Amino acid sequence: MSKRLNEVSKLVDSSKLYSIKEAASLIKQTAKAKFDESVEVHVRLGIDPKKSDQIVRGTVSLPNGIGKTRKVVVIAKGEKQAEAQKAGADESGSVDIIEKISKGWLDFDVLVATPDCMKDLSKVAKILGPKGLMPNPKSGTVTFEVGQTVTELKKGRVEYKNDSFGIIHCAVGKVSFDETKIAENIKALLEAIQKAKPSVSKGQYIKSISVSSTMGPGIYIDNNQKF
């Protein structure tokens, strides 16, 4: 453990479960890196990640955004292209964008596509898939509601999904946010995960919750409190 991390870790009682408000305050105290660290949430779920009907995945619009503007590109036809541009999409198009992607262009953070364009987009699935950029109905990026989707993504809509160990990792803002905004974003994510509980999941659903800054120590949140 580095000297810096050792010092800030003394501020956190590893045997205590904190409230969301207390954790938000500690995150700001323990973030000592020279850059604006992200606030990260890690939720260990009591699911069987090997079973498809227990996968926990969804999106949530964080009330205070994520602290950065994401570049959103939309693949659509006709009036949907104009709708995307009006909503603030960085670029919109159809076969022209797919052609650029086929040549290695990936200068965007999120790709949104209308359902009628997915067949054409499949041509570059092998390029987009490994980068996590392939539009997916479950993440809300395959939709005819392109205007609303672009607006939400720009404002701070994030996707969450459990990994192979049944743990969800999600960034919910920056340590430069004030404590109230950090707490509100954490709460919004936890509420969404709670509502996404699979009906077939038995026993304790949320096993543990920890939050931290990018370079800071883990702070455990009381998962019995109301989100």
Side-chain angles (χ1 to χ4, degrees):
M1 184 181 293
S2 68
K3 182 179 180 181
R4 179 197 60 79
L5 186 56
N6 186 47
E7 286 299 313
V8 296
S9 293
K10 293 177 182 178
L11 299 172
V12 180
D13 184 347
S14 60
S15 65
K16 179 179 178 180
L17 296 177
Y18 293 89
S19 68
I20 293 175
K21 185 177 180 181
E22 290 172 328
S25 176
L26 274 174
I27 285 172
K28 291 185 71 68
Q29 295 177 50
T30 56
K32 301 296 183 181
K34 295 180 179 179
F35 61 94
D36 190 9
E37 299 175 60
S38 293
V39 176
E40 302 173 356
V41 178
H42 311 277
V43 184
R44 185 165 65 91
L45 302 174
I47 60 171
D48 185 345
K50 295 181 181 179
K51 295 183 177 179
S52 60
D53 59 355
Q54 291 193 40
I55 297 300
V56 177
R57 180 177 189 174
T59 62
V60 58
S61 293
L62 300 177
N64 303 298
I66 58 174
K68 69 174 183 178
T69 301
R70 287 180 290 184
K71 190 168 185 179
V72 180
V73 172
V74 176
I75 294 179
K77 298 176 181 178
E79 62 182 23
K80 290 297 176 180
Q81 288 185 21
E83 181 182 326
Q85 289 286 357
K86 186 177 180 180
D90 295 274
E91 195 166 339
S92 67
S94 183
V95 292
D96 53 328
I97 291 182
I98 294 174
E99 180 66 20
K100 286 173 65 175
I101 292 172
S102 70
K103 295 178 180 178
W105 179 75
L106 295 171
D107 186 22
F108 50 86
D109 301 302
V110 186
L111 185 64
V112 177
T114 52
D116 58 333
C117 288
M118 288 302 291
K119 183 178 179 180
D120 294 330
L121 195 58
S122 64
K123 300 172 184 177
V124 290
K126 290 183 179 179
I127 297 174
L128 296 170
K131 300 290 185 180
L133 294 170
M134 188 68 184
N136 189 300
K138 292 182 179 179
S139 65
T141 48
V142 176
T143 176
F144 280 117
E145 302 297 328
V146 293
Q148 179 182 337
T149 300
V150 170
T151 299
E152 290 179 352
L153 287 168
K154 285 288 188 177
K155 286 185 176 180
R157 192 179 85 179
V158 296
E159 180 184 2
Y160 59 85
K161 181 183 179 183
N162 65 267
D163 63 15
S164 59
F165 298 99
I167 302 172
I168 289 175
H169 308 276
C170 188
V172 294
K174 297 288 186 178
V175 295
S176 57
F177 288 12
D178 64 41
E179 294 173 16
T180 300
K181 289 184 177 180
I182 292 174
E184 288 174 347
N185 278 4
I186 293 173
K187 188 173 184 291
L189 174 65
L190 296 179
E191 286 177 343
I193 293 173
Q194 184 67 60
K195 291 178 181 178
K197 178 183 179 180
S199 59
V200 295
S201 177
K202 306 299 180 183
Q204 185 178 7
Y205 175 51
I206 296 181
K207 295 277 191 176
S208 67
I209 305 165
S210 68
V211 298
S212 69
S213 61
T214 304
M215 305 294 288
I219 302 163
Y220 280 87
I221 288 179
D222 182 3
N223 59 329
N224 290 314
Q225 65 185 295
K226 184 178 180 181
F227 302 136

